[in-house]
Amino acid sequence: MEVVITESPEAGGSLVARAIADLVNSRATPVLGLATGSTPLPVYDDLVARFDRHEVSFANTRGFALDEYVGLPEHHPESYREVLLREFVNRVDMPDDMLFTPDGWAEDVRQACHDYDVSIADAGGIDLQLLGVGTDGHIGFNEPTSSLASPTRVKTLTEQTRVDNARFFDGDVANVPHHVLTQGVGTILRARHLVLLAWGEGKADAVAATVEGPVTAMVPSTALQLHPHATVVVDEAAASRLRLREYYREVFDGKPDWQGI
Ligand code: F6R
């Protein structure tokens, strides 16, 4: 696993955005895995700046969201489809119908989850998957005890995750849905490159467990250790509990191998 420690979320966002722009420019039909929440916002802002400077076009890019809430009214501003349209897709030249999100409004959610994994495979698989991490170590919304081989499916959020996400719902945990559709850990592991981002002291324990802890379903983000090409980009605060952080600085500082092995 590559661990890159950056001086700020903006510096980390810019580093990752450059890698995404290079990837998009080098592929006829690039496929990105898109995360929501606060963490990827510096990446999206930097990609929009690159698009505005005519350095990159997303006209042929397909994007697959990690997850979607179940139970929100359609077009609710915090549904992850709306968030991704607002924060990224509609700020660049990516057509709305090139954004794919799990169908949290489907009558048959099991079928919708299966169809989602099929649509990722039909697109040729995900070239680069952006990931945040929950304070409990979730990736996507794979909460602790998720199978590390899971497909896209329905999950129930933990109280901790609902409390963490209440800030997007007027600060009231009662407004946060209980259920979500999420790419499974197995789905995520099929992407060709995983890039997990984390900023701030609040993520320091999750980052240390992800990178240096034992692989366990209790911390689903530890599944990254099983992937041949995973990059973790963190700021100083999020890196603060990594035992080998001086080693990572020496080996990877500012020069991750985005091409992989
Ligand atoms: C979002 C997602 C989640 C978040 C995680 C961190 O699509 O899948 O795993 O990445 O909950 O959220 P933030 O970035 O808001 O701290």
Side-chain angles (χ1 to χ4, degrees):
M1 199 184 292
E2 301 172 311
V3 183
V4 184
I5 303 169
T6 62
E7 63 185 17
S8 64
E10 290 69 30
S14 174
L15 189 79
V16 174
R18 193 177 66 205
I20 292 175
D22 288 348
L23 171 83
V24 166
N25 286 333
S26 71
R27 292 264 206 288
T29 54
V31 183
L32 298 177
L34 302 172
T36 46
S38 310
T39 305
L41 297 181
V43 178
Y44 297 144
D45 288 346
D46 200 277
L47 285 173
V48 171
R50 285 168 197 272
F51 167 75
D52 289 342
R53 293 197 301 268
H54 308 288
E55 293 172 11
V56 61
S57 162
F58 298 91
N60 297 319
T61 298
R62 270 168 290 185
F64 285 87
L66 272 171
D67 36 26
E68 181 58 277
Y69 289 112
V70 174
L72 291 179
E74 216 163 342
H75 306 298
H76 186 287
E78 292 307 326
S79 85
Y80 281 166
R81 183 168 187 88
E82 293 299 316
V83 169
L84 284 170
L85 289 170
R86 186 169 68 238
E87 299 292 356
F88 179 53
V89 175
N90 290 342
R91 297 166 73 199
V92 296
D93 59 348
M94 188 170 151
D96 286 12
D97 61 3
M98 298 281 262
L99 173 66
F100 299 83
T101 50
D103 186 355
W105 297 272
E107 270 182 34
D108 184 345
V109 284
R110 283 171 70 98
Q111 185 65 43
C113 290
H114 173 75
D115 292 348
Y116 197 64
D117 280 344
V118 170
S119 63
I120 293 174
D122 286 349
I126 289 172
D127 291 313
L128 185 150
Q129 175 67 60
L130 279 177
L131 296 165
V133 61
T135 53
D136 62 0
H138 67 232
I139 48 173
F141 274 135
N142 295 282
E143 297 286 29
T145 73
S146 287
S147 159
L148 301 186
S150 44
T152 297
R153 68 217 184 289
V154 187
K155 287 296 286 181
T156 303
L157 297 178
T158 61
E159 182 67 10
Q160 175 68 58
T161 298
R162 294 181 62 244
V163 168
D164 287 347
N165 284 7
R167 68 191 193 283
F168 298 115
F169 292 88
D170 303 324
D172 186 351
V173 69
N175 295 334
V176 183
H178 286 265
H179 297 105
V180 292
L181 305 187
T182 181
Q183 282 191 36
V185 181
T187 313
I188 291 169
L189 288 176
R190 279 198 291 277
R192 284 181 276 281
H193 184 191
L194 303 180
V195 180
L196 182 141
L197 315 169
W199 324 123
E201 163 84 23
K203 298 291 175 73
D205 284 333
V207 167
T210 302
V211 177
E212 297 176 342
V215 174
T216 168
M218 278 304 285
V219 185
S221 54
T222 59
L224 265 72
Q225 296 177 29
L226 303 172
H227 194 280
H229 191 200
T231 306
V232 172
V233 181
V234 290
D235 65 1
E236 292 286 347
S240 58
R241 282 178 217 137
L242 287 167
R243 285 173 50 204
L244 297 185
R245 62 183 181 282
E246 294 316 320
Y247 172 72
Y248 307 135
R249 254 192 257 281
E250 186 190 332
V251 179
F252 300 117
D253 212 14
K255 43 184 182 320
D257 175 11
W258 298 110
Q259 300 308 313
I261 45 180

